[in-house]
Amino acid sequence: QGQLVESGGGFVQPGGSLRLSCAASGSIFSIYTMGWYRQAPGKQRELVATITNDDNTNYADSVKGRFTISRDNAKNTVYLQMNSLKPEDTAVYYCNARFNLVTTPIEDYWGQGTQVTVSS
């Protein structure tokens, strides 16, 4: 079974930084696009950033210039470096990856979510 495991959330003051990590596991054949989404209380889940397997990136306008997505293909891991955090960045952050295992077709996988709270 494929799985995504996230780490790195927490509490930070406005202007601070956090780094999220998400590792894919299983008998992985190939990983395609990886990304981060977030969901604040009472709001729909929204895209934060994505990165393709040839390192093309895409960001939500609200995080451009503050967040950086990257990936380490050798470790099957995607990262989200979040700088200059604002209270409106408070949300549960979810990792997403599209990949296939040796014996399965390409599927979308989701992590369990990690809470990021920005407050003074």
Side-chain angles (χ1 to χ4, degrees):
Q1 280 285 61
Q3 188 177 10
L4 296 176
V5 178
E6 303 162 3
S7 61
F11 182 95
V12 65
Q13 292 186 335
S17 298
L18 284 174
R19 189 190 195 211
L20 306 183
S21 300
C22 172
S25 63
S27 300
I28 296 171
F29 181 75
S30 188
I31 301 180
Y32 303 93
T33 299
M34 305 182 83
W36 292 93
Y37 292 72
R38 67 187 181 186
Q39 187 167 18
K43 295 188 176 181
Q44 289 189 328
R45 189 174 297 188
E46 64 177 5
L47 179 147
V48 176
T50 60
I51 183 167
T52 66
N53 54 353
D54 55 358
D55 289 338
N56 288 316
T57 58
N58 179 52
Y59 294 92
D61 287 343
S62 59
V63 307
K64 282 180 182 176
R66 301 188 298 120
F67 291 11
T68 302
I69 190 170
S70 61
R71 62 192 284 172
D72 183 336
N73 292 326
K75 295 181 179 180
N76 293 333
T77 299
V78 62
Y79 305 96
L80 186 69
Q81 178 66 44
M82 304 185 292
N83 298 330
S84 302
L85 282 160
K86 304 176 181 180
E88 51 263 44
D89 294 318
T90 296
V92 178
Y93 283 69
Y94 295 91
C95 173
N96 169 266
R98 172 160 284 208
F99 62 91
N100 56 331
L101 306 178
V102 173
T103 58
T104 66
I106 298 171
E107 295 181 41
D108 273 323
Y109 291 85
W110 290 91
Q112 78 281 5
T114 185
Q115 177 70 44
V116 172
T117 302
V118 185
S119 176
S120 54

